[in-house]
Amino acid sequence: MKPAMETEAEENTEQSQERKGCFECCIKCLGGVPYASLVATILCFSGVALFCGCGHVALAGTVAILEQHFSTNTSDHALLSEVIQLMQYVIYGIASFFFLYGIILLAEGFYTTSAVKELHGEFKTTACGRCISGMFVFLTYVLGVAWLGVFGFSAVPVFMFYNIWSTCEVIKSPQTNGTAAVEQICVDIRQYGIIPWNAFPGKICGSALENICNTNEFYMSYHLFIVACAGAGATVIALLIYMMATTYNYAVLKFKSREDCCTKF
């Protein structure tokens, strides 16, 4: 029989080996986490949620403002109402697509990062793996360019609402004295091209314009468009991070595949 001290020493050695093995396993797992893709996924989900949620409500508020104040004839803004309704359905599609796309990109990040870290060495030399990575690189570049356009487009209503708000601030200014001077300050919404030039009244002046700026519809729509524009900007940043991460992973996989081919001969 072994002495008690030797038995205790062997148990301590086994426990230390188990701790060491568990620590190495944790380090190995942490090394396979695609932190860039993880950050980009969170930013992408947040940006798309802000853009779609706030944009949908802001569009509905914009239609209400136009119908109540700038275009009392339904036929004048019928086409605009249909376009906005179509845009709201597009927003539903964008939200669903990017929810799925973000999950797929995160999974692809885990796949390629594990291959780059040589945690799953059999994957890094397969043509299928490199083809999938290359496809995501191309698709992410295309979506990034598309979202730059979305970001620019979302800034248009912000600019329009800001002009209306700044005009109301001029009306409220103490420097603007007299009823005649106030009534000469106008906003013509027809110049933005969202309603036709024959729309009535199309132009609002003076105290009537100030009343529009004090309504909840205007206040909410203005700030929701700002948040939607910020969400589009966050999505663009997320896609830029995706671009860098997927391009780097693809380049490393390509390099390692050539390295493996050379070592076989």
Side-chain angles (χ1 to χ4, degrees):
M1 296 180 63
K2 294 183 179 179
M5 295 183 63
E6 292 183 4
T7 304
E8 185 178 353
E10 290 178 356
E11 291 178 353
N12 292 334
T13 303
E14 291 177 357
Q15 291 177 358
S16 62
Q17 288 178 352
E18 289 179 359
R19 294 195 196 96
K20 184 178 180 181
C22 182
F23 177 76
E24 290 177 352
C25 181
C26 290
I27 293 298
K28 187 176 182 180
C29 292
L30 290 175
V33 175
Y35 294 101
S37 296
L38 185 61
V39 171
T41 300
I42 297 173
L43 191 60
C44 182
F45 282 172
S46 302
V48 171
L50 289 175
F51 173 79
C52 294
C54 296
H56 182 273
V57 179
L59 287 173
T62 302
V63 173
I65 293 172
L66 291 174
E67 290 178 348
Q68 294 173 9
H69 304 285
F70 291 97
S71 180
T72 56
N73 190 356
T74 307
S75 61
D76 291 337
H77 58 266
L79 179 60
L80 177 64
S81 300
E82 292 178 1
V83 170
I84 289 179
Q85 186 177 10
L86 178 62
M87 290 174 63
Q88 289 176 329
Y89 285 117
V90 170
I91 284 175
Y92 294 145
I94 290 174
S96 302
F97 172 78
F98 272 90
F99 177 76
L100 179 62
Y101 187 70
I103 294 176
I104 293 175
L105 273 185
L106 184 60
E108 193 271 343
F110 273 102
Y111 167 80
T112 52
T113 303
S114 298
V116 169
K117 297 291 184 180
E118 298 185 355
L119 300 179
H120 302 287
E122 67 272 14
F123 291 154
K124 68 178 182 290
T125 57
T126 59
C128 181
R130 296 194 302 274
C131 180
I132 292 173
S133 297
M135 180 192 68
F136 278 111
V137 170
F138 173 76
L139 185 57
T140 305
Y141 270 90
V142 172
L143 290 174
V145 173
W147 267 96
L148 281 174
V150 172
F151 176 67
F153 179 76
S154 63
V156 174
V158 176
F159 173 75
M160 182 186 71
F161 273 84
Y162 173 77
N163 282 344
I164 299 175
W165 173 81
S166 61
T167 305
C168 291
E169 291 299 310
V170 172
I171 295 175
K172 297 177 184 178
S173 176
Q175 286 78 13
T176 306
N177 297 320
T179 305
V182 169
E183 294 302 323
Q184 290 177 359
I185 301 175
C186 304
V187 167
D188 191 347
I189 206 71
R190 295 171 296 184
Q191 64 181 329
Y192 299 104
I194 58 177
I195 57 176
W197 281 103
N198 59 354
F200 181 82
K203 182 172 71 172
I204 302 295
C205 303
S207 58
L209 178 61
E210 184 180 357
N211 292 333
I212 293 174
C213 292
N214 293 330
T215 59
N216 291 329
E217 290 84 2
F218 179 86
Y219 181 83
M220 287 296 297
S221 298
Y222 179 33
H223 289 84
L224 286 173
F225 273 125
I226 293 175
V227 176
C229 184
T235 306
V236 171
I237 295 174
L239 289 172
L240 289 175
I241 298 174
Y242 274 136
M243 288 181 197
M244 293 185 289
T246 53
T247 303
Y248 171 79
N249 287 335
Y250 178 75
V252 174
L253 288 178
K254 193 77 172 176
F255 175 77
K256 285 184 174 292
S257 65
R258 292 179 180 177
E259 190 179 62
D260 289 345
C261 289
C262 294
T263 55
K264 290 179 181 179
F265 294 98

